[in-house]
Each structure stands twice: as C-alpha cells, then as structure tokens.
Amino acid sequence: MSPIHPAERAPPDADQGILPGLRRILGSASPRACHGALVQTARLLEEEFGFSILMAAEIAPGPAIVWQSDGPLRENGPALRAWLQRASQHPGRCLAFGDAAAGMVMTGAPGPGAAMIALVADAILLPQKLESAMRDVAEFTARHLHHLRTGEENMRRRQRLDAEGARDAALVRASADLVWEAEGDGIIHVTHVFHDRRDLARLIEGRALRDIPAGALDLQRSAEKGQILRAQRIALPGWDEPLFLTACPSPGTSAPFPLRGTIATAPDNAAEKLTIDARTLETILASHRREEQLRRETETMMLGLRVLLGEAPFREKLEQLARHLAGAIDCDDVRLILLRPGEDPRLVLPDAMAADARLLGQIDALGQQRLLTLLPAASADTARLRENLAMRDGDLVLIALPSAAERYYLLCRARRSLNPDDHGVAERISLLLQQAFLLQTDQKRMIHTAKLSALGQMSTGIAHELRQPLNAISIAAQNIELMVSLGKAGPELLKEKTDRIMAQIDRACKVMDRMRRFGRRTAGEYKPAPLAAIARSARSLMDPLVLSSGIAIDIDIADDLKAVADELEIEQVLVNLIQNAADARDAKPGGRIRIWSEDDPDDPGALRLHVDDNGPGFPPDVLAHALDAFFTTKPEGKGTGLGLSIAHSILREHGGRILVGNGALGGGRITLVLRRPAAQVLPFVSRSPERDGAP
Ligand code: ADP
C-alpha cells in the first residue's frame, strides 16, 4: 500500500464510521473478537487515511502485535518495545516512533496493570482527524479489554474469598482459636484468628517454638523431625487459660520442616474432648483443597457447557472450549490439530497459521496411546514442534480428542508441572470439546439429510427434465436405424443425427452433474464466493420446478460481489428458499421471485442477500415460529419444517444470520446476512444522505 499524502484526501469524520462498528463487534465480549475487531479497524483506518498502521494490544502483561500492514512499519523488536514503554507512560500523547512514524498508547483504566492498546501510523505528523480517530479507537478498545479482564479477575477473587471463608468455617467448627505457621526457623506467625481471640494471637505471634514449654516434649525438636503433634498442652508464662497446640509439617517438605498448626483454648477437664489434632487439620485442609479444585472444575465445566450450547459458530466454540480445557490444567499457547483419514493433517487453531503437515502427522504417533501425553521440553520432538508451531518454551501437553472418524489433538504449553489430578480434569473437560465435535457432525449430517430430501423433492422434475433429451436421443437413433434399413444412411446424414444425439447426451449430463454437485457433502469451507454465480446455479437446479409452475426468477446481483461462504451450503439455502416461495404460491400463475443484494445498512463488513416472492407472505403467527425446527404449515409429506431452521444454522456457522419477513413484491422476504471478504469491506464513509456530496 503506498502512503498517500494527507492533503490528497479529505478524511471523513471517523467518529461517524469507525466507533459504532467497533462497538458492535466488541459487544460480543470475547478477547478474540476484540483482536478481530482491532484488525478490521486498523484496516479501515489504513484504507481511509492512506497510512500504514501498526497496532499492538494488551501491552501489559506483554505486547502483542495484532496488526501490521505491509508498509514501511515493520515490527522491530527492542525499538518497538522501548517506544511502547515510553508511550505507555504518557497515555494519549502522540509520540514519534523512529524518524518516520508516530502514534499513541491508550489505557483502559488509570494505574498499572490496565489493558493498553497502541496505534502507530507511518508519518511523523499525523493529520488531526487520523490522530483523533486513532485515539478514539485505541481508547475504546483498551477500555473494553480492561473491562473484560477485570470481570475475569473479580470472578477469581470472589472464588478465592469464598474458598477462604469455607476453610475458616471448617476450622471454627473444629474449635481452633488460632491457625499458625512457622518456617524452618521455628518462629510462629498467626495466620487466622477465630472467636475474637486477638489477645491470644498477640501472645503467640513472633514466639519461637523452642521457648514454649510443652509438658515433656521439646516442640522444636519434634518439629525438626517432622513429627505430628496432637493437642499438646502448652504453658505460657503469665497465662492461666489452658492452651492446646497441634502442629504438623507441611506435606512434601523436608527438614527443617515448615510447620502449620492450631492453638485452641479449652477448660482443663475438656482436654480429652478436644477433637482437633494435627491430622484433622491436614485432612480439613486437604479436603478443602480438593473441594476448591472441584469447584473450580465445576465452574469451568459450567462455563464450557454455556459455550457448547450457545449460539456461537462452531469455530468460535472450538476456540473457547480449547482455551478452557488448557486453562483448567494451567496450560497456555493452544494449538488444535485435525487428522482426518485421507487428508493432510492440518492446524485448526489458530486458523491463520500454516504448519508442516508431515510434522503434524507425527503428532498422531506421539499422542495415540493415552488421553494426555507429556512432551518434555528437553526432547528433540518437542523442540521441533514448538519451533514449527511458534510455541513458547516449556513442556508441551498433548491431549487426544477422538471424534467419529476424525481425530483432533490439542497441544498446549504447560505453565507448571502437571499432577495426576490434572489428567482427571483434562479427561473430564475434554468431553466438552468432544461433544462439540459430535454436535457439529450431527449438524452436518442433518444439513446433508435435508439436502437429500430436497433432492428427493426435485426428483420428479429431474425425471421430467431427463426425459426430453432421452426422447430426442431415442428418436434420432430410430431415424438412423430406418435410414440404414432403407439404405439411405449417407455419411452426412449420419453425422447430423449423431451430432444431435451427442448434444442431447451433453444436456442430460449437465442435469446429472448439477444434481451430483448439489448432493455432495459440504466441507464447511468458508472462502470468498461469487454470489451471482451461486444464485444462478440454484436457479438452474430449480429449472424443472420453474418450468412446471411458470415462476420467473430474476437475479439482481453484481457479478463481482463476493461473500465469505461455503458455496454449496448457500446454494442449498437458496434452493430451499426458492422451493418455499414456489410452495407459498401454490401453483397460482404469475409467480415471481427476485434474488437481489444490497449493502448491510448497519455493518460495513456485511452484505444482505434477499429472496423476495409475490406469494401470500408470512402471517404474524407463522413469522414468530418460522425459524423453529419442525415448524411447518405444509401438508404432511410435503413439509418437514426443517428448511428455515437449517438455513438458520448454516448462516450462523457463516458468522452471519437470517432474517424472515415480508418484502416489496407483496410476499415473503428472506434475508441472508453474510460477511464480506476483507477486500470488499466498505470504507467507513458515512452514508447518511445529508453528507452525500460533502467535500
Ligand atoms: P417447510 O418448508 O418444510 O415447511 P421451512 O422451515 O422451510 O419448513 O418453512 C417453515 C414454514 O414457513 C413453512 O411451512 C411456511 O408456512 C412458512 N414459509 C416459508 N417460506 C415462506 C414464504 N416464502 N412465504 C410464506 N410462507 C413461508
């Protein structure tokens, strides 16, 4: 992209265009969506102002470049980091970056630790409008990121407080007045005070174990040996109340043992009744740890279930669930690999990253045996994988996720060494991911079944359409036979007849090819697809119906208009909509269908494809349920009630949606909202009429 001098264009008022779009995208409230929105916004800024833009997000805890154009701004490591450091100290101020760029950092909240966003453009002197648009975008996004992050932090803090509360309650029940800890030096520090015994805490805090007289026992020596002490009566000078001390070494430690214990007061004669001892304390703490872990796991499960059953497209679900699973066992840097029989292994997450298929293939051999395989950081295999998949240093964890005929692998980096509990957690949470695969398989199967049923419905028409060329072939062949028997079959005549036969065979093949193509299973591959061609293909599939019912189908879509789509799936949706429109018309003559497109009035990144008809339209009670599965008003044997509901899920998987209503032809209007490919995203020029023609 060549930089354009600011004076050559009059940049629009960015406030009008960028922020509403960004707000809408960020509204979906996932950090990934934030990054997507940033990338999209950076592109818009570039296209509109003609400057190369670099965008970094979440500078705390570490910068991540989320967008960088091909212009002169290349990420240059230390220099960029130094600039980010400096700019983050002056949020909002436009600062020079090197001698050819400038930008600013905005923070999501005052104080350290807040999310930050940096934007840099390739000019020292930025046009004021660009500068203020950049500032707005950065500030809005930083605030949003901060909001997301603090939401998560608050949840974690609440969980911690809940957990501590539960432990305290257990100890109070166990009649302890103090909980204490001592490192190897034997100096006591009080960590919890119950029953308002602050006086006791003051008495104990800072004392050395060796200075506490305890019957015949030497507390310090016992502690050094790592012995457990149960309700040991202790005496403190000037303190008459009977005190009982328990202590036990922290599990998994060695001498000199850090100790933990309780002190309880009890009347002399109740000493035997004092139930708490060191073991009880350990049991309480251990069961408490377990409880906390289970609670965390349950919460992760619930969150996961919400994702699984939510409305998001499969890809987004997959990404969120994979992160959940990795997070639950304290791993990060998630990669998801798909191995499908007969296909090259490929990286599903992150989707933009290319990876060596041979190397991915080896993952199968590494991870096939168990659900969870640890790949130690030091091994050569791990190093190769890490390098190839751009993963951070450390042990890698490989989790096998078999699903129907395919096999997914989740690869992530361990942030600590894993324990047997982690295996259990991974096993349980991975079920959610597997469930997501199954749901997707089911959905694909349902889409395919619906397609086959549509083909079934078309079969009468197809038979009719095939009969014509077959008849023509048959007549031509009979003619040849007759000519031969009469001895009149000259070369010219034979050629004319065989040409006719070939043309008819060609026609029949085309019909068959169309059907075969339509009947294929879709791959769910979303790429820029030409909408006019898809609409024409759907129309020709419906030719027999169109011919028999006399419906005219107009297609009014620019030839170069593209949407990010799976061609076969959108064609299937259109075939269904045409069928519905024809059914609604109920064979009345003069039927009309118009398939046309327009810009999405709300979203420059989307477009709308309408299918209008001149049937009776949707009455309100049908409108309310039209997208529900199994809702149909058609007679038995004709309607399944699945057409629109399947169209709805197809569109959702496309990251779009479907709108049902009535249109300009007086009948129904179904609208498909689809994503534009990045290259066709509209500039964020305000399209309100009073601004048209403004300089
Ligand atoms: P089916 O076609 O099997 O009934 P759909 O989900 O495709 O299932 O449609 C559900 C219902 O919506 C139809 O039964 C019909 O009542 C209504 N409908 C669909 N398309 C139209 C249309 N173009 N005009 C009027 N009503 C429609």
Side-chain angles (χ1 to χ4, degrees):
M1 189 199 71
S2 64
I4 299 170
H5 191 274
E8 289 174 30
R9 307 172 79 139
D13 185 350
D15 231 18
Q16 297 281 320
I18 294 187
L19 284 187
L22 186 61
R23 235 175 240 140
R24 215 175 17 257
I25 306 171
L26 290 185
S28 67
S30 84
R32 183 176 156 268
C34 277
H35 286 201
L38 280 175
V39 171
Q40 208 173 327
T41 316
R43 280 196 197 124
L44 291 176
L45 282 170
E46 287 197 346
E47 273 175 24
E48 204 41 49
F49 290 94
F51 288 88
S52 295
I53 300 274
L54 173 143
M55 173 153 348
E58 301 186 270
I59 294 157
I65 305 288
V66 295
W67 166 257
Q68 185 166 214
S69 64
D70 291 338
L73 280 174
R74 291 259 116 225
E75 199 259 333
N76 54 355
L80 176 67
R81 230 167 292 139
W83 181 86
L84 289 172
Q85 185 72 32
R86 195 156 51 90
S88 63
Q89 282 168 6
H90 308 281
R93 227 162 80 193
C94 193
L95 294 181
F97 171 45
D99 52 9
M104 79 282 295
V105 162
M106 298 300 290
T107 58
M116 295 194 208
I117 295 286
L119 272 171
V120 180
D122 67 335
I124 280 283
L125 265 183
L126 302 182
Q128 214 207 329
K129 290 226 165 167
L130 172 60
E131 192 181 317
S132 85
M134 281 166 58
R135 193 170 284 125
D136 286 348
V137 166
E139 185 181 13
F140 183 76
T141 317
R143 268 206 249 121
H144 187 79
L145 274 182
H146 184 72
H147 174 72
L148 285 182
R149 198 178 303 147
T150 46
E152 272 172 29
E153 257 165 34
N154 283 340
M155 196 173 81
R156 252 180 263 131
R157 195 173 309 135
R158 209 190 56 230
Q159 284 169 358
R160 217 173 30 241
L161 287 178
D162 283 357
E164 279 171 10
R167 182 183 63 180
D168 291 353
L171 286 170
V172 171
R173 271 201 305 281
S175 80
D177 291 310
L178 302 181
V179 177
W180 59 268
E181 279 174 5
E183 289 298 319
D185 58 7
I187 303 295
I188 296 178
H189 297 289
V190 175
T191 58
H192 291 79
V193 183
F194 305 112
H195 310 130
D196 205 18
R197 293 307 304 260
R198 270 179 297 237
D199 55 336
L200 200 55
R202 271 195 300 276
L203 180 77
I204 299 291
E205 174 70 30
R207 276 178 194 265
L209 271 172
R210 79 172 72 82
D211 296 339
I212 297 182
L217 260 181
D218 176 348
L219 292 181
Q220 176 75 15
R221 288 259 303 283
S222 306
E224 278 166 7
K225 285 195 219 145
Q227 282 171 346
I228 290 174
L229 303 178
R230 289 146 205 256
Q232 186 65 41
R233 174 90 190 248
I234 57 169
L236 287 170
W239 199 267
D240 297 334
E241 223 175 342
L243 299 176
F244 296 87
L245 176 139
T246 71
C248 68
S250 302
T253 56
S254 54
F257 293 91
L259 294 179
R260 190 156 48 200
T262 64
I263 292 184
T265 54
D268 252 348
N269 60 2
E272 322 76 67
K273 291 195 201 136
L274 198 63
T275 49
I276 173 92
D277 67 8
R279 259 192 219 288
T280 321
L281 176 67
E282 257 328 298
T283 317
I284 290 173
L285 294 178
S287 64
H288 180 71
R289 272 196 300 272
R290 178 91 193 109
E291 186 187 316
E292 203 177 296
Q293 189 200 339
L294 281 178
R295 192 194 358 233
R296 225 171 325 141
E297 193 182 323
T298 312
E299 252 163 48
T300 312
M301 275 292 205
M302 296 311 287
L303 278 173
L305 264 180
R306 242 192 4 233
V307 172
L308 182 69
L309 301 175
E311 285 279 288
F314 174 67
R315 270 207 62 77
E316 227 164 85
K317 283 185 186 171
L318 209 57
E319 184 163 343
Q320 290 186 27
L321 290 174
R323 282 191 209 295
H324 257 1
L325 169 52
I329 51 171
D330 225 353
C331 289
D332 56 12
D333 238 9
V334 179
R335 305 285 183 268
L336 197 63
I337 298 119
L338 170 61
L339 285 110
R340 203 179 263 158
E343 282 180 26
D344 269 351
R346 66 188 166 94
L347 199 61
V348 185
L349 272 183
D351 56 350
M353 189 189 275
D356 177 355
R358 258 209 6 251
L359 193 84
L360 293 183
Q362 288 166 13
I363 281 184
D364 210 22
L366 292 173
Q368 216 171 32
Q369 304 299 327
R370 293 174 226 102
L371 170 94
L372 190 150
T373 311
L374 193 73
L375 309 175
S379 100
D381 280 340
T382 311
R384 217 170 311 125
L385 274 176
R386 242 187 358 232
E387 190 185 333
N388 212 270
L389 300 177
M391 296 176 78
R392 271 168 280 178
D393 244 358
D395 296 341
L396 298 186
V397 177
L398 186 63
I399 300 175
L401 303 160
S403 144
E406 356 177 274
R407 187 186 280 273
Y408 282 86
Y409 280 105
L410 187 122
L411 186 68
C412 48
R413 186 198 61 145
R415 285 197 292 217
R416 56 168 170 80
S417 54
L418 297 197
N419 57 46
D421 281 347
D422 292 321
H423 290 237
V425 171
E427 189 168 357
R428 289 184 289 275
I429 295 185
S430 69
L431 288 178
L432 283 176
L433 254 172
Q434 277 165 279
Q435 204 55 41
F437 303 141
L438 284 180
L439 278 182
Q440 202 223 11
T441 314
D442 282 353
Q443 197 180 37
K444 286 242 157 333
R445 199 173 295 141
M446 191 157 100
I447 292 177
H448 193 66
T449 312
K451 186 187 273 200
L452 294 184
S453 123
L455 262 180
Q457 281 191 10
M458 289 177 204
S459 60
T460 334
I462 303 167
H464 182 76
E465 212 182 346
L466 284 178
R467 195 170 307 125
Q468 284 177 339
L470 289 178
N471 278 346
I473 291 169
S474 161
I475 291 170
Q478 284 170 29
N479 275 341
I480 293 177
E481 210 179 13
L482 186 69
M483 299 294 173
V484 171
S485 68
L486 294 177
K488 290 187 182 167
E492 255 172 50
L493 197 100
L494 277 178
K495 174 148 182 8
E496 189 219 318
K497 296 285 174 208
T498 47
D499 280 354
R500 189 173 301 165
I501 289 176
M502 294 312 283
Q504 293 305 322
I505 288 177
D506 202 38
R507 186 174 154 198
C509 283
K510 280 202 178 114
V511 175
M512 298 310 294
D513 280 349
R514 268 199 325 252
M515 298 302 152
R516 213 178 39 215
R517 182 174 163 282
F518 182 75
R520 268 211 322 254
R521 232 171 238 285
T522 60
E525 271 172 19
Y526 308 112
K527 42 190 183 210
L531 290 176
I534 296 177
R536 281 196 291 267
S537 171
R539 178 173 61 184
S540 61
L541 273 165
M542 300 306 276
D543 261 352
L545 171 98
V546 170
L547 290 175
S548 65
S549 59
I551 290 178
I553 304 181
D554 299 325
I555 294 175
D556 210 349
I557 305 171
D559 270 338
D560 59 352
L561 183 68
K562 292 190 176 166
V564 181
D566 179 309
E567 287 191 30
L568 284 180
E569 287 187 1
I570 296 301
E571 181 182 281
Q572 180 180 352
V573 170
L574 289 179
V575 161
N576 193 274
L577 298 183
I578 295 173
Q579 179 73 52
N580 273 353
D583 289 347
R585 188 83 199 157
D586 204 15
K588 280 198 212 62
R592 258 195 79 197
I593 295 174
R594 178 169 177 245
I595 308 179
W596 60 288
S597 65
E598 63 172 350
D599 299 340
D600 188 304
D602 303 327
D603 183 354
L607 59 84
R608 293 185 172 205
L609 188 66
H610 304 285
V611 179
D612 288 3
D613 65 63
N614 65 346
F618 287 86
D621 54 328
V622 175
L623 203 55
H625 300 284
L627 294 181
D628 296 352
F630 305 112
F631 175 83
T632 181
T633 58
K634 296 179 190 171
E636 209 172 311
K638 197 149 171 64
T640 57
L642 284 176
L644 289 177
S645 121
I646 285 179
H648 176 59
S649 51
I650 289 180
L651 265 288
R652 205 172 53 203
E653 288 304 317
H654 276 72
R657 62 209 158 97
I658 187 165
L659 309 171
V660 184
N662 293 311
L665 292 185
R669 167 178 293 172
I670 313 287
T671 300
L672 313 184
V673 182
L674 286 161
R675 311 293 323 155
R676 288 173 188 274
Q680 288 192 351
V681 170
L682 295 183
F684 54 91
V685 187
S686 163
R687 281 182 282 129
S688 58
E690 61 275 21
R691 289 180 57 88
D692 279 350

